[in-house]
Amino acid sequence: MEFEGFVIHHTVCEREPLNWDFKIHQDGSVSSSSMLVQPGQIHICLEGDFNIGYQSMSLDQKTQLFTASKIILELSRLHDISPLYLFPHSDTCPGAHFPWNALVIYPVDGYH
């Protein structure tokens, strides 16, 4: 199956998804679904409100972003998708202040 990229959610979204492929909990643990939510895209949901700047985030939130980055990098390698194909769930989820640069991964150099 070919994937177009990754869809990023957070749980305070007004249209919170009932389903996701991976959910990263506040304690850093990860849950995965047994089936893809939407063929062609991998949905990753972060527990909590991520519509804030990176500098304002707690250590737990930054850890969740790092975990999401690791999941994205591994799935990118496994399914031959660019880790730069990141999409918001909607115009308001995960929000205008979501720190997209914290998820940007450079495959050649690893994590930044």
Side-chain angles (χ1 to χ4, degrees):
M1 168 178 267
E2 281 193 38
F3 292 99
E4 299 169 9
F6 301 91
V7 178
I8 307 301
H9 307 258
H10 65 169
T11 58
V12 297
C13 177
E14 292 175 7
R15 298 185 322 165
E16 181 181 345
L18 298 175
N19 298 308
W20 30 259
D21 299 311
F22 294 92
K23 183 174 184 179
I24 303 170
H25 301 276
Q26 290 177 339
D27 67 1
S29 63
V30 178
S31 300
S32 63
S33 68
S34 58
M35 297 178 62
L36 286 175
V37 171
Q38 181 180 6
Q41 296 180 322
I42 299 171
H43 290 251
I44 298 173
C45 184
L46 300 160
E47 185 177 25
D49 185 358
F50 282 79
N51 190 18
I52 57 176
Y54 187 79
Q55 299 302 326
S56 300
M57 289 186 172
S58 68
L59 180 58
D60 287 343
Q61 288 175 305
K62 291 176 181 179
T63 300
Q64 285 176 270
L65 285 175
F66 182 71
T67 301
S69 297
K70 292 192 305 184
I71 289 170
I72 291 166
L73 187 59
E74 280 304 309
L75 291 174
S76 294
R77 288 180 183 156
L78 183 64
H79 296 290
D80 196 29
I81 343 173
S82 171
L84 302 177
Y85 293 166
L86 303 172
F87 306 98
H89 172 227
S90 69
D91 290 340
T92 58
C93 176
H97 302 291
F98 183 80
W100 290 102
N101 287 339
L103 288 181
V104 174
I105 301 167
Y106 302 95
V108 174
D109 299 327
Y111 302 108
H112 64 278

